[in-house]
Amino acid sequence: MKKLMATGVVPGVREQGRQVFPLAALQQLQARPVAELTVLGMAEVAVLRSDAPTRVEEPDRDWIGFGAALNEAQLLAALSGWWRCDPARVAAGGVLPVTVAGFVVAVLTGLAEWESDGTAGTAGRFRFPKARLAGYLRDLTAPANAAAPADPEDARLAGQLLGTRLPSVSGGPIAYVPTRPTTADQPATATEGE
């Protein structure tokens, strides 16, 4: 809840004095559907697990993280890189959902090219300089794409993912989520004649 409150993506939250998270907003979030990843056509998709925006002093951006108050250019710069990840694996998914507390709040595409920070091995960090912000939310309780993507595929992907729940587990900002349920995830079914 604290992450959602800090990003400004839930209206009516009060952080001054006693913290208040509106009951209606909580009920709307509980009813959010789980992201339907099978339509992506890939075996897995990378997920950027973001935190609230933090000011940084870098030549190409002023912020890292997700914040509903950031403008589109600030948000794209804040979300498009310098993570420890397998860049080929991120690019292979073709889309990078950005989550805060397990909810998709932004969608990045255009991930085919990446740059390294020059650190060798798995300690290296990567960014995606041609990433596009296909969509993002200003209000998670009434998800509507605040971007106007020119590419129809970007608009479709953002429409499918924004506002959905997308649980992921990772020790860092990037998680890799299978898009198809495994047999362990599916309930056992009886075959005819049993």
Side-chain angles (χ1 to χ4, degrees):
M1 288 300 194
K2 287 184 179 186
K3 280 187 180 187
L4 289 174
M5 293 171 79
T7 62
V9 77
V10 178
V13 168
R14 189 178 73 214
E15 293 189 71
Q16 308 297 348
R18 197 169 134 204
Q19 293 181 333
V20 175
F21 199 97
L23 177 60
L26 181 60
Q27 291 169 333
Q28 289 169 324
L29 296 182
Q30 286 176 325
R32 286 272 155 250
V34 174
E36 177 53 61
L37 299 179
T38 58
V39 298
L40 298 178
M42 300 292 171
E44 73 176 1
V45 65
V47 175
L48 173 58
R49 299 156 29 93
S50 185
D51 209 341
T54 303
R55 190 168 274 289
V56 294
E57 307 239 352
E58 295 180 10
D60 58 347
R61 62 184 177 175
D62 298 322
W63 299 93
I64 57 171
F66 177 86
L70 298 178
N71 68 40
E72 201 163 327
Q74 290 171 320
L75 195 54
L76 178 60
L79 297 175
S80 60
W82 299 128
W83 319 298
R84 284 190 176 96
C85 66
D86 178 340
R89 218 170 148 187
V90 172
V95 63
L96 184 64
V98 179
T99 63
V100 171
F103 292 94
V104 179
V105 295
V107 176
L108 295 174
T109 58
L111 307 165
E113 295 179 26
W114 57 85
E115 297 174 354
S116 170
D117 70 352
T119 307
T122 58
R125 294 177 183 262
F126 298 88
R127 77 174 181 154
F128 296 81
K130 297 204 176 176
R132 297 184 304 273
L133 190 58
Y136 67 100
L137 298 178
R138 296 234 184 258
D139 180 350
L140 183 57
T141 63
N145 192 348
D151 184 296
E153 180 63 7
D154 284 3
R156 183 187 72 78
L157 288 169
Q160 287 179 327
L161 294 169
L162 286 173
T164 61
R165 289 182 291 137
L166 181 49
S168 60
V169 178
S170 174
I174 299 289
Y176 302 95
V177 177
T179 60
R180 295 174 185 91
T182 63
T183 53
D185 296 334
Q186 297 173 348
T189 57
T191 58
E192 195 171 350
E194 289 186 326

